[in-house]
């Protein structure tokens, strides 16, 4: 049973690769209507599948690209639909919209604020544990006879101090890492954009990882055209 859950976890962490390339490349490419699109699964982070999307506008007119309009479908079997399935019909693959740029930026900022709060709490608790330890050590130093029970309590207090300091330090480093991540994030997220003729745009697309089965389809609507990308979990078989 443990082996089953281990294999399930490993499978869930495996990257998605394009269906039509036999797992030989992680980048899917589509070219039609004077547009070229590249899409690659980068991994899973904070409850989202993260994709790298690049759109090259080779037409003579600007185009609108909105990440929040991208649709994702997931199934345990290959998805055999020419376009994105009609989400109103029952019995179809799980579906979900990609996150908008504003949602992602707010989501990560909220995570940073939450971690800052937790780091402050752990820091206060750590100071409290150290003060308590110092007070108790001072009491023990005044005793004429130190019992084995006193020694054991002192050892336990010292261990609590070490643990609380380690937790506070880890929380502080976590906040620093998140702050650095959020600093670069606005430049990494694919924005809502009116892409001029002859220009290109590249950035990250975030899809909720609730849809996490073996096959995954992303439908990228641009104008009246839907660009369909099919992925599957890369396995050793």
């Amino acid at each position: 049973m443990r082996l089953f859950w281990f294999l399930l976890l490993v499978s869930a962490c495996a990257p998605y690769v394009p269906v039509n390339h036999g797992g030989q490349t992680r980048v899917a490419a589509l070219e039609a209507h004077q547009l070229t699109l590249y899409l690659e699964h980068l991994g899973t982070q904070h409850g989202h599948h993260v994709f790298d999307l690049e759109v090259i506008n080779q037409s003579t007119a600007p185009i609108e690209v909105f990440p929040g309009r991208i649709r994702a479908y997931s199934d345990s079997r290959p998805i055999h639909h020419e376009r994105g399935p009609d989400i109103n019909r029952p019995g179809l693959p799980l579906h979900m919209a990609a996150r908008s740029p504003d949602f992602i930026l707010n989501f990560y900022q909220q995570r940073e604020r939450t971690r800052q709060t937790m780091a402050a709490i752990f820091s206060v608790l750590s100071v409290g544990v150290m003060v308590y330890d110092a007070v108790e050590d001072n009491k023990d130093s005044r005793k004429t006879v130190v019992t084995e029970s006193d020694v054991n309590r002192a050892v336990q207090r010292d261990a609590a101090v070490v643990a609380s300091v380690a937790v506070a330090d880890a929380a502080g480093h976590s906040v620093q890492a998140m702050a650095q991540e959020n600093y670069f994030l606005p430049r990494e997220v694919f924005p809502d954009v009116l892409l001029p003729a002859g220009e290109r745009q590249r950035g990250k697309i975030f899809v909720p990882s609730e849809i996490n089965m073996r096959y995954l389809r992303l439908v990228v609507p641009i104008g009246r055209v839907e660009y369909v990308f099919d992925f599957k979990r890369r396995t050793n078989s």
Side-chain angles (χ1 to χ4, degrees):
M1 182 61 68
R2 291 181 180 178
L3 178 59
F4 169 79
W5 288 112
F6 173 76
L7 294 176
L8 184 63
L9 176 63
V10 170
S11 176
C13 295
Y16 282 104
V17 294
V19 169
N20 297 329
H21 295 288
Q24 299 303 312
T25 177
R26 292 183 59 170
V27 182
L30 285 177
E31 185 171 359
H33 302 277
Q34 296 182 303
L35 297 182
T36 301
L37 286 76
Y38 297 100
L39 191 64
E40 178 184 3
H41 182 237
L42 301 179
T44 304
Q45 182 182 56
H46 307 317
H48 292 85
H49 295 301
V50 184
F51 287 85
D52 177 36
L53 173 66
E54 183 175 14
V55 179
I56 305 173
N57 184 7
Q58 299 160 317
S59 69
T60 58
I63 58 171
E64 292 180 333
V65 186
F66 298 107
R69 295 180 181 175
I70 296 174
R71 306 189 307 278
Y73 303 86
S74 186
D75 202 340
S76 59
R77 298 169 297 179
I79 302 174
H80 296 297
H81 296 272
E82 184 178 351
R83 293 174 177 242
D86 180 359
I87 63 174
N88 296 316
R89 288 173 49 199
L92 288 173
L94 294 176
H95 61 274
M96 194 165 290
R99 301 299 195 187
S100 69
D102 288 342
F103 179 97
I104 286 299
L105 294 177
N106 291 333
F107 172 79
Y108 275 78
Q109 288 169 3
Q110 181 60 43
R111 281 182 58 86
E112 182 179 353
R113 287 192 291 268
T114 300
R115 290 194 181 188
Q116 288 173 342
T117 301
M118 295 304 298
I121 292 173
F122 286 133
S123 179
V124 171
L125 291 176
S126 176
V127 172
V129 171
M130 287 188 289
V131 170
Y132 174 75
D133 180 51
V135 171
E136 293 300 312
D137 283 348
N138 185 51
K139 290 180 181 179
D140 289 344
S141 67
R142 297 178 183 180
K143 294 181 178 180
T144 56
V145 177
V146 178
T147 66
E148 182 179 353
S149 179
D150 292 330
V151 173
N152 290 337
R153 284 196 295 268
V155 170
Q156 292 174 358
R157 291 197 305 271
D158 289 342
V161 169
V162 172
S164 65
V165 171
V167 170
D169 286 345
H173 289 309
S174 177
V175 170
Q176 293 176 2
M178 179 62 75
Q180 185 177 24
E181 188 176 20
N182 286 355
Y183 176 79
F184 293 104
L185 188 64
R187 292 172 251 179
E188 297 176 346
V189 173
F190 199 109
D192 291 333
V193 64
L194 179 64
L195 188 59
E199 297 293 326
R200 65 177 62 199
Q201 180 68 50
R202 183 177 180 181
K204 292 180 178 179
I205 302 295
F206 294 79
V207 176
S209 59
E210 284 88 341
I211 52 175
N212 200 29
M213 290 187 278
R214 184 176 184 186
Y215 291 90
L216 183 66
R217 165 171 290 186
L218 265 67
V219 180
V220 184
I222 300 179
R224 297 182 178 180
V225 180
E226 292 186 334
Y227 296 84
V228 179
F229 294 88
D230 284 320
F231 291 86
K232 68 177 180 180
R233 288 286 188 189
R234 185 171 65 185
T235 61
N236 293 329
S237 58

